[in-house]
Amino acid sequence: MASIKVKFVKFLMNIFPNKPKYQENHFVQEIFRHEKYTSLSQQEKEIFLDRLVNLNIKEARRKPFDLFFPSHSFKDLLIDKKVLDLGCSIGGTTIQMGEDWKVKEFQGIDVSEESIAIGNRFASNFSSDTVYGFSCSYAEKMSFADESFDAIVSDDTIEHVRSVKETLLECKRILKKDGVAYIVFPSFKLPFGGAHIGSVTKTPFLEWFFSPKTINGAYQEIVAKWGDDLNWYKPRKESEGDWAVVKGGIGVNGTTYKKFLSTANDVGFKEISFERIPLLLISNTASKYPIVKFMSSMLKPLLSIDFFKDYLSHRLVFVLKK
């Protein structure tokens, strides 16, 4: 029986309801179960997926990972290095970074076997001086040998892992001495999108008042009432739990600035720094409207205060040195 809190959050979500839509220009892993995709021939699927990877590369070039780290020159730091992309999806962003930074080898991991297959097929036909490889793996237990990588990059993945501590322990293990992890992810307290519930509601600020478990409970109840036309987006049986991690659901672990910082310290990284990136500074809205970018930049001094980091950061951006 649903708790009173879950019922109340469900009520709030339904004030501004939303439903996921099939997208042909932006990849989401649920697409593999949509009838429009499954009905394609193998050749049509390959053409479609190659187009998605190319769009992924194009978007990454327009809004590169580098923007989160204005005080770091990756082109100088990572040239001819071996780098891991933790949470690589279909690999387009990985390839964009590798080409731009001219790294020697770029490995990527993701929990989706289908996404990894797409990345490897695309990379096998992609001409480059960089060696690319993609493998299916959980961040908490990677198959790489100790001290394998000069650097790790991770964009919008840490909020999904089952254990942040085990993930960071693995990152530290596979980094070489003085290796660096560049981590970017939304705080759970981010006012728009921290809980990843946009597929069911547009009601804002729920993350400020309710736990991930409560929000996920409300999310699952709403999804359970969807009709057969949305079966492609519903969580699979094996993903059920306190939060859904692999095949659907909101899939977030509730990580905030203080939680992540405390965990990184516990793991024993010798240097931990935080990049102040104000809300909306790196967004399509800011690039379209200069006034938004200007107003966003005015928030930067507030990010010197820990309290505001979760609420006014566009993303939580950390640099961890082994």
Side-chain angles (χ1 to χ4, degrees), residues 37 45 47 50 58 64 71 76 81 83 113 129 151 156-157 173 181 203 208 241 259 315:
Y37 175 78
K45 287 178 181 177
I47 293 171
D50 281 349
K58 184 178 180 180
S71 60
D76 296 325
K81 301 295 186 180
V83 184
E113 293 180 0
D129 292 330
D156 284 7
T157 297
R173 180 184 67 79
T203 303
W208 290 8
K259 286 182 180 180
R315 289 291 189 273

Side-chain angles (χ1 to χ4, degrees), residues 195-214:
H196 290 265
I197 51 177
S199 59
V200 300
T201 184
K202 294 182 179 180
T203 303
F205 310 120
L206 295 176
E207 302 89 342
W208 290 8
F209 306 103
F210 303 98
S211 70
K213 187 173 183 179
T214 298

Side-chain angles (χ1 to χ4, degrees), residues 22-24 26-52 90 112-115 117-119 121 232 236:
Y22 179 77
Q23 302 181 62
E24 296 192 350
H26 179 72
F27 174 76
V28 293
Q29 69 178 29
E30 289 83 5
I31 196 174
F32 298 124
R33 290 183 275 150
H34 197 284
E35 185 180 6
K36 285 187 177 181
Y37 175 78
T38 58
S39 64
L40 297 175
S41 68
Q42 184 60 34
Q43 183 179 17
E44 289 172 331
K45 287 178 181 177
E46 291 179 358
I47 293 171
F48 173 66
L49 293 171
D50 281 349
R51 185 174 66 84
L52 281 182
I90 55 176
S112 167
E113 293 180 0
E114 296 99 329
S115 296
I118 294 167
R121 192 179 64 80
W232 65 280
R236 292 179 180 175

Side-chain angles (χ1 to χ4, degrees), residues 149-165:
F149 294 94
D150 298 288
I152 296 170
V153 298
S154 183
D155 188 6
D156 284 7
T157 297
I158 290 297
E159 75 273 24
H160 296 295
V161 300
R162 291 179 184 267
S163 170
V164 175
K165 184 171 185 177

Side-chain angles (χ1 to χ4, degrees), residues 156 158-160 185-198 201 203-208 210-212 215-216 249-256 279 310-311 313-316:
D156 284 7
I158 290 297
E159 75 273 24
H160 296 295
F185 64 98
S187 168
F188 178 70
K189 299 295 185 181
L190 184 71
F192 302 98
H196 290 265
I197 51 177
T201 184
T203 303
F205 310 120
L206 295 176
E207 302 89 342
W208 290 8
F210 303 98
S211 70
I215 292 175
N216 187 54
I250 63 172
V252 295
N253 51 36
T255 304
T256 59
L279 193 65
D310 286 310
Y311 302 95
S313 292
H314 186 72
R315 289 291 189 273
L316 297 180

Side-chain angles (χ1 to χ4, degrees), residues 18-228:
N18 195 31
K19 289 185 178 180
K21 299 176 180 62
Y22 179 77
Q23 302 181 62
E24 296 192 350
N25 295 314
H26 179 72
F27 174 76
V28 293
Q29 69 178 29
E30 289 83 5
I31 196 174
F32 298 124
R33 290 183 275 150
H34 197 284
E35 185 180 6
K36 285 187 177 181
Y37 175 78
T38 58
S39 64
L40 297 175
S41 68
Q42 184 60 34
Q43 183 179 17
E44 289 172 331
K45 287 178 181 177
E46 291 179 358
I47 293 171
F48 173 66
L49 293 171
D50 281 349
R51 185 174 66 84
L52 281 182
V53 178
N54 278 308
L55 287 172
N56 193 201
I57 293 172
K58 184 178 180 180
E59 171 64 14
R61 284 176 177 157
R62 189 184 66 79
K63 194 165 60 176
F65 186 75
D66 308 53
L67 293 176
F68 290 107
F69 300 89
S71 60
H72 296 74
S73 175
F74 291 132
K75 292 181 180 180
D76 296 325
L77 293 169
L78 300 181
I79 185 171
D80 291 329
K81 301 295 186 180
K82 185 176 179 180
V83 184
L84 171 69
D85 185 359
L86 196 160
C88 62
S89 185
I90 55 176
T93 300
T94 315
I95 290 172
Q96 178 275 322
M97 291 186 290
E99 297 304 293
D100 195 28
W101 304 340
K102 295 183 172 22
V103 306
K104 181 179 181 180
E105 181 180 344
F106 220 138
Q107 294 291 324
I109 64 165
D110 198 275
V111 296
S112 167
E113 293 180 0
E114 296 99 329
S115 296
I116 290 302
I118 294 167
N120 278 321
R121 192 179 64 80
F122 188 91
S124 68
N125 297 314
F126 186 78
S127 178
S128 175
D129 292 330
T130 299
V131 175
Y132 295 100
F134 302 99
S135 55
C136 190
S137 174
Y138 285 97
E140 296 88 344
K141 192 174 182 179
M142 293 183 269
S143 60
F144 305 111
D146 294 356
E147 300 188 349
S148 295
F149 294 94
D150 298 288
I152 296 170
V153 298
S154 183
D155 188 6
D156 284 7
T157 297
I158 290 297
E159 75 273 24
H160 296 295
V161 300
R162 291 179 184 267
S163 170
V164 175
K165 184 171 185 177
E166 290 178 17
T167 296
L168 292 186
L169 282 168
E170 277 290 87
C171 287
K172 186 182 176 187
R173 180 184 67 79
I174 66 174
L175 279 172
K176 297 177 182 178
K177 182 182 178 182
D178 295 325
V180 182
Y182 301 93
I183 309 292
V184 176
F185 64 98
S187 168
F188 178 70
K189 299 295 185 181
L190 184 71
F192 302 98
H196 290 265
I197 51 177
S199 59
V200 300
T201 184
K202 294 182 179 180
T203 303
F205 310 120
L206 295 176
E207 302 89 342
W208 290 8
F209 306 103
F210 303 98
S211 70
K213 187 173 183 179
T214 298
I215 292 175
N216 187 54
Y219 177 102
Q220 299 294 348
E221 286 201 7
I222 291 173
V223 169
K225 298 293 184 181
W226 283 346
D228 292 342

